[in-house]
Amino acid sequence: MTGDKNKLRALHAGAVAANKEKSAGTLSRKESSFLSRLADGRSISVNAISPKLVLIEDRRSFEGLLWRWCSLHWSIPVSSGYGRRLRFLVLDEAHDNAVMGLIGLADPVFALRPRDEWIGWDAKTRGQRLTSVMDAFVLGAVPPYNALRAGKLMGLLATSSEVRDAFDLRYRNRKTTINQRDPDARLSLLTTTSALGRSSVYNRLTRPDSGLAFHPVGYTNGSGDFHFSGNIYSELADFAASVNVDGNSHAHARWKSSGPRNRREVIQRALEALGLDSRSLRVHGVRRQVFAAPLVSNAQAYLSEGAEPAWATYPADELAEYWSRRWAEPRAARDDAWRHFDRESWRLYGSC
């Protein structure tokens, strides 16, 4: 399994390197400030850790750039997400607000068979209720907290009452761009996929009531766009623009931008203009495990039948206390690797 995951990381290495290079002009000058927001392992008192969620209001703010810089350390490229987006930093108030990890939520893909079968959706109901679902495209911890199993904390906090409240404040009763309808969206389900095959973080991740936080619901079919990333994607995008001089797009007229509106359309247009079969070339064979994290105890009934939601979220501080007792403290007692993290080892762009 470790060998398989290393092979998958190698597949993504080029795209990761391209993203780092592309971001260097914006982020390299602030890197020392970003590094100062990481905790030195020797300074951490595990019993005192006090996580808090911080919503990123402006992606161009310091917090927004810090989120982006941290995400560049992931072993797979992190997209900016689609449509509605919520990004959070998780900070440790007890240790100078050191960054513990990242949460990124975005609009889910329209059709995802494992999710749709688990809910019991037909195409019509999915079109009506998908606005109450978001996809966690980033859930991860940074050192030294990752060695204390804080990846599990990020998963739990993504299902917290605070995240649901942030969604309500920003997106509930907001008209959709294309259909101009009020979906009364109420965040009731998160989905996520394991980028490196079967996940050891989400499988058997429980909540304080001992119920599963993330339900494994199947695997993707092994198709997508990740292998058209980095410099390859940039060249395809340039080529798509050169053969699309009139700006025609499949995008709806209410979308503000002209031309292809998303990665899939860019890649499809470029490959087809080259005389290649875009459908077959999108099959990469890497199947990802799909998880569904309900925020209501009656998720299937609410999302497929319109039942009243039975909310089942916990406040962030209760989830953090449970994580510390269940995972962080036992790990710290068994393994002190977290003590040896030096934040300088996370420098991406060399000394300033």
Side-chain angles (χ1 to χ4, degrees):
M1 179 63 71
T2 299
D4 291 342
K5 291 190 174 184
N6 286 337
K7 289 178 182 177
L8 291 176
R9 291 186 182 98
L11 285 174
H12 293 288
V16 170
N19 282 351
K20 290 176 184 176
E21 182 180 355
K22 182 179 178 181
S23 300
T26 303
L27 301 180
S28 61
R29 295 186 298 273
K30 297 181 179 293
E31 184 162 48
S32 293
S33 297
F34 298 150
L35 287 165
S36 72
R37 296 298 304 275
L38 301 179
D40 188 85
R42 293 165 296 182
S43 70
I44 297 293
S45 173
V46 175
N47 292 339
I49 293 173
S50 179
K52 71 173 179 180
L53 281 159
V54 176
L55 177 65
I56 305 298
E57 299 285 0
D58 181 355
R59 63 185 179 83
R60 296 162 297 185
S61 66
F62 179 82
E63 289 76 15
L65 295 176
L66 175 60
W67 192 101
R68 182 175 162 192
W69 176 81
C70 287
S71 74
L72 288 173
H73 292 78
W74 265 229
S75 58
I76 63 170
V78 173
S79 75
S80 58
Y82 295 101
R84 301 169 303 170
R85 275 160 283 193
L86 292 171
R87 295 184 182 91
F88 297 87
L89 285 170
V90 178
L91 307 181
D92 182 358
E93 288 187 290
H95 297 91
D96 297 322
N97 286 316
V99 180
M100 297 185 68
L102 314 177
I103 296 171
L105 309 180
D107 271 341
V109 297
F110 185 74
L112 184 62
R113 184 189 303 174
R115 175 201 66 199
D116 297 349
E117 290 180 348
W118 182 78
I119 294 172
W121 267 343
D122 57 29
K124 179 180 178 181
T125 308
R126 178 182 61 201
Q128 295 170 337
R129 309 295 294 180
L130 190 62
T131 52
S132 292
V133 179
M134 291 195 86
D135 184 67
F137 68 99
V138 172
L139 284 178
V142 306
Y145 298 96
N146 59 347
L148 294 167
R149 308 194 77 178
K152 292 184 180 293
L153 174 64
M154 301 306 124
L156 290 172
L157 291 178
T159 70
S160 67
S161 302
E162 285 84 347
V163 168
R164 181 164 64 88
D165 291 343
F167 177 92
D168 278 355
L169 187 62
R170 185 173 293 184
Y171 294 118
R172 191 176 178 188
N173 299 320
R174 177 172 169 178
K175 287 185 177 180
T176 57
T177 301
I178 294 177
N179 295 325
Q180 294 291 289
R181 65 182 176 85
D182 180 350
D184 189 27
R186 307 178 76 181
L187 183 61
S188 56
L189 181 72
L190 296 180
T191 58
T192 195
T193 55
S194 173
L196 301 175
R198 188 175 184 275
S199 172
S200 58
V201 174
Y202 310 126
N203 275 305
R204 301 185 301 279
L205 175 59
T206 57
R207 305 177 307 180
D209 63 2
S210 299
L212 282 178
F214 287 78
H215 298 261
V217 298
Y219 286 81
T220 61
N221 61 10
S223 66
D225 304 320
F226 84 79
H227 51 312
F228 297 110
S229 297
N231 292 329
I232 294 175
Y233 177 77
S234 296
E235 292 185 14
L236 288 173
D238 289 343
F239 180 68
S242 74
V243 297
N244 186 37
V245 294
D246 59 358
N248 290 335
S249 170
H250 299 307
H252 193 280
R254 288 198 176 101
W255 284 84
K256 294 179 180 179
S257 59
S258 62
R261 78 173 195 184
N262 58 37
R263 283 177 55 87
R264 179 170 297 182
E265 188 177 348
V266 167
I267 292 167
Q268 177 182 329
R269 286 189 170 226
L271 293 178
E272 290 178 354
L274 290 167
L276 301 173
D277 184 346
S278 63
R279 182 182 295 270
S280 64
L281 287 174
R282 290 187 68 253
V283 178
H284 48 62
V286 178
R287 303 180 70 212
R288 298 178 172 182
Q289 191 171 17
V290 180
F291 293 88
L295 278 61
V296 293
S297 59
N298 60 338
Q300 287 102 331
Y302 171 65
L303 288 168
S304 63
E305 302 165 15
E308 277 298 307
W311 299 107
T313 55
Y314 289 86
D317 58 356
E318 189 171 340
L319 292 170
E321 192 279 329
Y322 171 67
W323 162 77
S324 181
R325 183 179 69 251
R326 174 69 178 80
W327 286 289
E329 293 172 26
R331 172 55 66 94
R334 295 193 307 268
D335 186 350
D336 70 348
W338 52 278
R339 289 188 182 277
H340 307 298
F341 171 69
D342 177 1
R343 52 195 173 196
E344 277 295 318
S345 67
W346 244 42
R347 189 178 287 278
L348 286 177
Y349 297 113
S351 347
C352 298

